[in-house]
Amino acid sequence: MSLLWRSAADERYADPTFRILAVCTGNICRSPQVEKLLRARVPAAFARETIDALGITSAGTHALEGDAMDPYAADEAARLGIHISGMHRARRLHKRQLEQADLVLGAERRHRDEAAKLLKRRGTIAFTVVEFTLIVEHLAAKDDRQVAPLADDGFAAFMRRVVRAANDARADAAPRAAITLDLSDPHRYGPEVYRRSADTIDDYVTRLAAGLRSLANG
């Protein structure tokens, strides 16, 4: 499976930047929060302010191009220490964005599945945020590590190893009945729903960053 995935994306392996695409429905609540929290939490887990080899963007499956971020979602991001600029504008998901991505993180299974459908064989890089976090934690907890640690080949190469291992472990490591794999959509609900949603996103992103750091240490 890994060899098939590699043959479909040989050009990606020469790219020094690992690209994550966060996807939700409107690109005004969850995916911008995922995008900005990943930009902050992953470098912090590696004791850095930024990681040059990491690029993160977001889009929405039914986004209205140019929409501003939901103000409640922006306020919750600010509460978590992530100040999202008023310059954020929604982008609608299209195939070109997916083709440039090394990892697609959907807010819900429907976002993951839509991305996987467009990606065809490269759908192996599409997960939900919850799903990918649980798998990375599973890989980090195993005695027989399946991911070579961060080495001289760089952060992008390390992350591509993580994605391949996560796809291989997908069936065993991500519960499908005992836990939901979706992040609930707070749009047009009350402030308390926005807060629960943002806290859940931050919890999973922080756990994901810690799991990646553990795998990087080997």
Side-chain angles (χ1 to χ4, degrees):
M1 183 177 294
S2 296
L3 290 177
L4 180 62
W5 186 86
R6 177 185 285 267
S7 67
D10 282 338
E11 293 182 3
R12 305 294 314 135
Y13 284 79
D15 193 332
T17 301
F18 182 86
R19 293 180 170 83
I20 300 175
L21 176 64
V23 179
C24 68
T25 303
N27 192 216
I28 58 173
C29 293
R30 293 168 292 176
S31 59
Q33 288 178 337
V34 172
E35 174 190 350
K36 303 300 184 181
L37 286 166
L38 282 170
R39 286 186 185 179
R41 303 296 189 247
V42 174
F46 286 78
R48 298 178 61 179
E49 291 188 2
T50 61
I51 297 176
D52 291 340
L54 180 61
I56 309 169
T57 56
S58 62
T61 55
H62 292 80
L64 296 177
E65 290 279 351
D67 270 6
M69 187 169 178
D70 183 298
Y72 287 118
D75 287 346
E76 288 304 317
R79 178 179 61 85
L80 295 169
I82 308 299
H83 297 281
I84 298 178
S85 169
M87 294 300 292
H88 173 81
R89 291 293 179 265
R91 299 192 308 163
R92 193 178 184 103
L93 180 69
H94 55 76
K95 190 173 182 180
R96 179 61 176 165
Q97 294 166 313
L98 292 167
E99 289 172 342
Q100 294 173 338
D102 295 288
L103 172 63
V104 179
L105 294 177
E108 301 175 36
R109 285 164 292 178
R110 61 192 174 112
H111 305 129
R112 175 200 67 190
D113 294 346
E114 184 165 341
K117 181 178 179 180
L118 290 170
L119 284 164
K120 298 182 180 178
R121 285 188 300 180
R122 289 191 70 234
T124 54
I125 69 170
F127 303 80
T128 73
V129 173
V130 175
E131 180 182 31
F132 192 69
T133 298
L134 294 175
I135 295 173
V136 167
E137 289 181 331
H138 169 80
L139 293 171
K142 289 176 69 68
D143 291 334
D144 55 329
R145 290 295 176 90
Q146 298 176 342
V147 180
L150 183 61
D152 291 341
D153 56 354
F155 184 81
F158 160 71
M159 285 298 301
R160 291 182 183 118
R161 291 195 292 273
V162 173
V163 173
R164 292 198 301 274
N167 181 61
D168 291 342
R170 191 191 299 255
D172 299 326
R176 300 181 186 278
I179 188 169
T180 178
L181 297 182
D182 297 341
L183 297 169
S184 61
D185 187 358
H187 188 51
R188 295 181 178 174
Y189 287 94
E192 69 282 357
V193 179
Y194 280 86
R195 176 149 298 191
R196 285 199 302 271
S197 176
D199 284 343
T200 300
I201 291 171
D202 190 35
D203 176 55
Y204 279 105
V205 169
T206 301
R207 287 166 55 182
L208 173 57
L212 292 174
R213 178 61 185 177
S214 179
L215 289 174
N217 286 341

